[in-house]
Amino acid sequence: MEKSLETLSKQQLLALLEEQSAQATFHKKELQKSQQELALQKDDSLQKAKELKQKTRELKQQAKELKQKDKELAQADEHLRNYLSKSGVLEEKVAYLESQLEMFRRMQFGQKRERFEDKDQLALPFEATAQDLEKREEAFTEKITYQRKQKNATHKGRQPLPDHLPVEEVKIYPEGDISQMKCIGQEETDELEYEPARFFIRRYIRYKYAHKSGEGVIIGELPERVIDKGIPGSGLITSLLVDKYCDHMPLHRQLERFKREKVPIAPSSMNGWCARGIDRIVPLFEELRADVKSRGYLQVDETTIKVQDEGKKGKTHLGFYWVYHSPIDGNVVFDYQPGRGQKAPEAMLKDFKGYLQTDGYAVYDHYAKKKGVTHLGCWAHARRYHERALENDPQRAKYALGEIQKLYAIERKIKEANLNPKQTKELRLKEALPIINELGKWMTGQLKATLPKSLIGKALAYSVSRWDALCAYLYDGNLFIDNNQIEGKIRPVAVGRKNYLFAGSHKAAQRAAAIYSFFAICKKHEVNPYEWLKYTLENIMTIKYKDIKNLYPQNYKKLQLGK
């Protein structure tokens, strides 16, 4: 290359240099152009990188927003689920409260009888037409006209007046001169009259006699008195107690009656007389308690009584009358207890052996599980639960009530036929047992398909959980299907407490329990409570212990009939 350059002339060298310079300039331009393109590409890449970075940032923000929205949706979904869950509970509560409201309305304004009757059977599917109404009117007019014509021929006259009442005759003669006339007969017209009870003073005058020899003095002996050296006689004390505990007239109202007759008596004196009168029959009451405890079949129930709290002025304590009824002999014992706990019936049921019939109150289960005790349920209580569920679940409730109605129809048949216990048991096993078996299977199956807190659920649960006790009345023909007899004994207490409101003390409530017991027995055996109590107060202090049961109302009645 060096040799070839040496051989070249100066002009050639210049031309070569120019050519090379031109090439270098071209390459330089190309290089610059490439550099510019690279720079542009770099700028474009940077711009794209920035845009990509911006998009990445935007995507991250969107992802964050989506995540937040997902969280919000999850929370909303959870709230919705909770709402739907609560909504179902609320709907159940609303249905329950509506059924409770309907039940309370019926208790307040509806019929009180418990016999089930299907309302659908009484409803007419159509209204009577005008022609039918016209025909009915013609038939009604014809019937009334016929009855008017036959009235004098078929009328049996008014109800005769009782024979035991005294008769006060009022003789009425025709006006004018009847001296020249003769009496050919008489007509009698009776009317029932009344005189208010009268007060009078019974004065005992006891004569004294002295021996002529001067050896001593004798005097007529006073009869036994309810309150020794007291003002009231046995009739007055009896009237006060009968008016208060049988006729539900509080003592303050009886005081008004005394004032009308101008007989001023202090309220404290009247309270004391009543207390002393009841204290007289306490020995007889204790004998009654012992008798009832020894019976092999008891029905038990309880009811409330407000008692004035001696420790808190103006406050009352809610006590309870525990009522024990012996269906076999009809004796009843009211036992006052301050509470309703497990210990309350202990004095009466601790050593009890036999059939114990109660409602579903849990305290009775403790005594029913004891050895020698057979627990009987109450179909009337079971029926009540289903009756309350009629609005909640008409189909199930009507079916249950219809089956229970069949059981009561069998009981009515027994009563009407006057069957003995053996015949009663045979009929129940023949007709009632198949109904009970099928009803038990149905209730057990339906219980699984009902809401526990619904009225129909509670009704089914009440019966199923006590099924053995509800069936136990089939064991013996002497047993009753329900506890209604004892509920009838409690009713006078419910009426009485609406009038006298509360007992003055726990001791006063226990005294009232004694008199309520005997008045319930009087009602059961159709004994006049005034006559029985007066006789008992006058004779209890002199009677021998072996004859004390003769003072029971039913035995007193037998003695009086035997005279």
Side-chain angles (χ1 to χ4, degrees):
M1 181 72 183
E2 291 178 357
K3 289 181 179 182
S4 59
L5 289 175
E6 290 177 357
T7 59
L8 293 175
S9 63
K10 186 176 181 179
Q11 290 179 347
Q12 289 177 331
L13 287 171
L14 287 172
L16 182 60
L17 288 171
E18 286 177 359
E19 182 181 355
Q20 288 180 349
S21 177
Q23 289 179 356
T25 302
F26 174 77
H27 287 299
K28 187 176 180 181
K29 287 180 179 180
E30 287 293 324
L31 180 62
Q32 287 178 350
K33 186 177 179 181
S34 298
Q35 287 178 347
Q36 287 178 354
E37 288 178 355
L38 287 172
L40 289 173
Q41 288 179 358
K42 186 177 180 181
D43 291 340
D44 189 37
S45 297
L46 289 174
Q47 184 66 28
K48 287 182 178 179
K50 285 182 180 180
E51 291 177 357
L52 183 61
K53 192 173 182 180
Q54 181 67 25
K55 286 183 179 180
T56 303
R57 191 180 297 113
E58 290 175 358
L59 288 172
K60 285 183 179 180
Q61 183 65 27
Q62 289 177 359
K64 189 175 180 181
E65 290 176 357
L66 287 173
K67 191 174 181 181
Q68 182 65 26
K69 287 182 178 179
D70 287 341
K71 189 176 180 181
E72 290 176 358
L73 286 172
Q75 289 178 348
D77 185 60
E78 183 67 22
H79 286 314
L80 181 60
R81 290 176 184 275
N82 290 337
Y83 172 77
L84 292 175
S85 176
K86 289 179 180 179
S87 177
V89 174
L90 288 174
E91 287 179 1
E92 183 180 341
K93 286 184 177 179
V94 168
Y96 171 73
L97 290 173
E98 285 179 346
S99 62
Q100 288 288 98
L101 179 60
E102 183 63 29
M103 181 184 72
F104 290 138
R105 280 177 177 165
R106 178 169 180 180
M107 289 171 63
Q108 184 69 23
F109 305 110
Q111 67 172 11
K112 298 299 187 292
R113 64 185 304 207
E114 292 182 347
R115 182 178 296 178
F116 170 65
E117 294 173 350
D118 192 346
K119 296 178 181 178
D120 295 337
Q121 294 179 358
L122 303 176
L124 292 174
F126 54 84
E127 293 184 0
T129 63
Q131 293 178 350
D132 289 336
L133 290 174
E134 187 176 348
K135 288 180 181 179
R136 288 183 195 176
E137 185 176 357
E138 291 176 0
F140 176 78
T141 305
E142 182 180 352
K143 186 175 181 180
I144 289 297
T145 306
Y146 173 77
Q147 287 181 348
R148 283 173 180 165
K149 291 178 180 178
Q150 295 293 321
K151 182 176 180 181
N152 294 332
T154 59
H155 183 57
K156 297 180 180 179
R158 65 186 181 184
Q159 181 180 351
L161 296 175
D163 295 334
H164 67 277
L165 295 178
V167 177
E168 181 182 295
E169 293 184 349
V170 179
K171 296 182 179 181
I172 304 174
Y173 294 94
E175 295 183 359
D177 185 11
I178 59 173
S179 60
Q180 302 300 319
M181 304 178 74
K182 67 176 182 177
C183 181
I184 61 172
Q186 63 185 32
E187 290 187 6
E188 295 181 355
T189 302
D190 292 344
E191 67 178 8
L192 187 63
E193 205 25 293
Y194 172 78
E195 286 184 359
R198 66 188 182 93
F199 295 96
F200 65 94
I201 298 172
R202 175 177 284 121
R203 180 172 293 152
Y204 294 99
I205 302 173
R206 299 187 293 159
Y207 292 97
K208 296 180 180 180
Y209 286 84
H211 288 282
K212 292 180 180 180
S213 62
E215 292 180 358
V217 177
I218 61 173
I219 187 171
E221 188 176 353
L222 271 174
E224 188 68 37
R225 303 181 67 206
V226 180
I227 301 176
D228 192 27
K229 298 181 181 180
I231 293 175
S234 58
L236 179 57
I237 293 175
T238 299
S239 178
L240 293 175
L241 293 173
V242 170
D243 285 351
K244 179 174 180 180
Y245 295 106
C246 268
D247 301 327
H248 319 296
M249 184 182 291
L251 293 182
H252 71 271
R253 293 185 195 165
Q254 297 191 50
L255 278 170
E256 294 299 320
R257 187 170 59 190
F258 278 67
K259 289 179 182 178
R260 287 197 299 269
E261 299 295 327
K262 298 181 180 179
V263 181
I265 301 294
S268 58
S269 297
M270 189 174 285
N271 280 315
W273 295 348
C274 290
R276 295 287 293 277
I278 296 176
D279 286 343
R280 273 295 177 101
I281 64 171
V282 165
L284 185 64
F285 178 62
E286 293 300 328
E287 188 68 20
L288 179 67
R289 282 170 58 99
D291 271 356
V292 170
K293 280 196 294 185
S294 65
R295 293 293 179 264
Y297 177 24
L298 283 185
Q299 295 178 328
V300 189
D301 205 349
E302 74 288 336
T303 189
T304 58
I305 177 70
K306 289 183 179 179
V307 181
Q308 200 166 22
D309 196 331
E310 298 174 359
K312 298 179 182 177
K313 190 175 180 181
K315 301 289 184 180
T316 57
H317 170 81
L318 189 63
F320 291 86
Y321 281 130
W322 292 76
V323 189
Y324 306 86
H325 174 230
S326 173
I328 295 174
D329 58 15
N331 280 334
V332 182
V333 166
F334 281 71
D335 181 38
Y336 171 74
Q337 294 293 333
R340 200 187 178 208
Q342 187 171 297
K343 291 186 177 180
E346 187 173 9
M348 292 292 292
L349 299 181
K350 182 180 179 182
D351 301 318
F352 175 76
K353 296 284 189 292
Y355 293 103
L356 182 66
Q357 190 163 31
T358 69
D359 57 20
Y361 184 41
V363 163
Y364 298 121
D365 294 339
H366 170 73
Y367 297 95
K369 292 176 182 177
K370 288 190 173 184
K371 187 177 180 181
V373 178
T374 301
H375 195 197
L376 300 182
C378 176
W379 275 102
H381 279 82
R383 179 176 59 186
R384 252 171 242 159
Y385 276 88
H386 289 285
E387 193 272 337
R388 292 170 189 166
L390 276 171
E391 299 295 331
N392 173 242
D393 193 330
Q395 185 176 356
R396 290 190 178 101
K398 283 182 180 180
Y399 177 80
L401 288 170
E403 296 304 296
I404 295 172
Q405 188 180 36
K406 293 177 184 178
L407 298 178
Y408 275 89
I410 296 169
E411 295 304 306
R412 284 193 296 276
K413 186 190 297 185
I414 291 169
K415 187 176 180 180
E416 291 168 0
N418 197 23
L419 301 183
N420 61 40
K422 184 179 179 181
Q423 294 169 328
T424 298
K425 181 178 178 180
E426 290 174 356
L427 183 62
R428 284 173 174 172
L429 292 176
K430 181 182 177 182
E431 297 188 11
L433 182 58
I435 296 172
I436 288 175
N437 287 339
E438 291 302 318
L439 182 59
K441 292 177 185 177
W442 179 84
M443 284 187 173
T444 304
Q446 294 298 315
L447 181 60
K448 300 174 183 178
T450 57
L451 294 171
K453 291 185 178 181
S454 66
L455 290 180
I456 190 64
K458 290 180 178 180
L460 293 169
Y462 179 92
S463 298
V464 171
S465 63
R466 296 168 177 81
W467 196 250
D468 290 342
L470 289 171
C471 300
Y473 82 101
L474 300 173
Y475 294 158
D476 193 316
N478 290 299
L479 305 177
F480 286 85
I481 191 173
D482 57 36
N483 227 14
N484 280 352
Q485 283 201 339
I486 195 169
E487 291 189 0
K489 307 297 182 292
I490 289 174
R491 198 164 291 119
V493 178
V495 177
R497 67 188 173 212
K498 289 182 179 179
N499 289 277
Y500 55 72
L501 303 181
F502 56 83
S505 65
H506 294 291
K507 193 171 182 180
Q510 185 56 50
R511 282 199 193 98
I515 203 69
Y516 270 131
S517 302
F518 287 113
F519 284 166
I521 298 172
C522 285
K523 186 176 181 180
K524 168 73 175 179
H525 296 282
E526 298 181 349
V527 176
N528 186 312
Y530 178 87
E531 293 176 358
W532 167 80
L533 183 55
K534 186 174 184 294
Y535 176 86
T536 301
L537 290 175
E538 292 172 348
N539 290 276
I540 194 168
M541 298 305 293
T542 57
I543 198 168
K544 295 179 180 179
Y545 176 75
K546 67 182 182 68
D547 299 324
I548 194 169
K549 292 183 182 179
N550 289 338
L551 296 179
Y552 286 176
Q554 63 270 41
N555 296 334
Y556 159 80
K557 182 179 181 180
K558 293 176 184 177
L559 289 173
Q560 298 304 308
L561 292 174
K563 287 184 178 179

